[in-house]
Amino acid sequence: MKAFEAGTTEVIELCLLIGRVMLQNGAETYRVEDTMTRIAASFGSGEAQSFVTPTGIVFSLGQSEPSKLVRVSDRTTNLHKVAKANNISRSITSGSLSIREAHRELTDLDKAGTYYTIPAQIASASLASGCFAIMFQGSWFDFGPACVAGGFGFIALLAFHRFFEIKFFAEFLASLIIGVLAFSFLLMGIGNEADKIIIGSVMPLVPGLLITNAVRDLMAGHLVSGLSKGAEAFLTAFAIGGGVAIAFSIF
């Protein structure tokens, strides 16, 4: 099926939709661009051009075609959606999925919630915090406090992200709560080392995927996206460190 047979507008809308879904859920910039151009090529548009940044997508089927911009303001980490979008793109390029069917599946994927429920995410973050505390040479006496502090810190992160639009503020307050809880546990005689409890508890807040994507984008030659993602990761880490530092100053 050629682009003009499917409709130029339909092809552009499909490419922008899959690009936005992937970018919002943690895909690398070069992967988003490659997916969009491959889909356009499968519909006969071999001159498609895309320019993707962490906050927006510009796409055109060719020099004679109009360009369209999509703004991306909210980004999260949901690799399940990225994998599903990749599977849909492969079905499109292989010809087993029509443009309307693909658009419907992508719309459903975009509207779908997270793969794991909020309680499951909190429980996972709590358990991971305790395991990280042990991994960083903490004792088993620090495992329980790290689980509790990490769980409450992750709850605070989710709550503050929902109620505050100021970026990095949620990470700052969540790490502050973790630091206060860690020192409070020591004052109550629970746990051995506050630093091990804090290190383990803040690990679920660390932007690991963002750092990885920044390096991969830089290696792929996407300097704007790589530097902006690196700056975002640095500011997030600075906010986490600032919250912990204030807790140290209090106690």
Side-chain angles (χ1 to χ4, degrees), residues 45-251:
S45 298
E47 297 182 354
Q49 297 289 331
S50 61
F51 180 73
V52 179
T53 69
T55 56
I57 301 173
V58 180
F59 182 75
S60 175
L61 290 180
Q63 294 182 357
S64 61
E65 300 292 339
S67 300
K68 192 165 184 180
L69 168 68
V70 170
R71 173 79 174 175
V72 179
S73 55
D74 297 324
R75 296 182 303 278
T76 185
T77 301
N78 192 332
L79 298 184
H80 175 72
K81 284 191 176 183
V82 175
K84 291 282 288 183
N86 275 329
N87 290 335
I88 294 173
S89 71
R90 295 188 185 99
S91 299
I92 296 171
T93 55
S94 65
S96 60
L97 202 63
S98 69
I99 190 168
R100 290 177 177 82
E101 292 172 338
H103 195 281
R104 184 173 61 253
E105 289 191 16
L106 286 169
T107 301
D108 294 339
L109 179 63
D110 186 29
K111 294 180 179 178
T114 56
Y115 187 69
Y116 297 101
T117 62
I118 297 298
Q121 294 180 44
I122 296 172
S124 300
S126 177
L127 181 61
S129 299
C131 293
F132 275 120
I134 299 298
M135 189 181 76
F136 288 116
Q137 312 278 312
S139 68
W140 285 103
F141 294 103
D142 300 322
F143 180 83
C147 287
V148 175
F152 275 102
F154 194 76
I155 292 173
L157 179 71
L158 296 177
F160 292 136
H161 266 309
R162 177 172 298 182
F163 295 111
F164 295 101
E165 296 184 358
I166 304 175
K167 201 165 182 61
F168 313 114
F169 192 59
E171 288 83 357
F172 172 79
L173 292 178
S175 61
L176 175 60
I177 290 173
I178 288 173
V180 170
L181 285 175
F183 284 110
S184 299
F185 282 134
L186 286 187
L187 292 177
M188 292 185 291
I190 306 174
N192 287 341
E193 299 177 86
D195 57 335
K196 301 300 190 297
I197 298 173
I198 293 173
I199 291 172
S201 301
V202 300
M203 286 304 292
L205 311 182
V206 174
L209 180 64
L210 193 62
I211 297 172
T212 303
N213 285 350
V215 174
R216 295 186 70 175
D217 281 339
L218 287 172
M219 293 176 65
H222 294 267
L223 302 181
V224 174
S225 297
L227 291 175
S228 60
K229 288 180 180 179
E232 185 177 354
F234 171 78
L235 290 174
T236 302
F238 183 79
I240 294 172
V244 173
I246 289 181
F248 266 97
S249 66
I250 294 174
F251 291 90

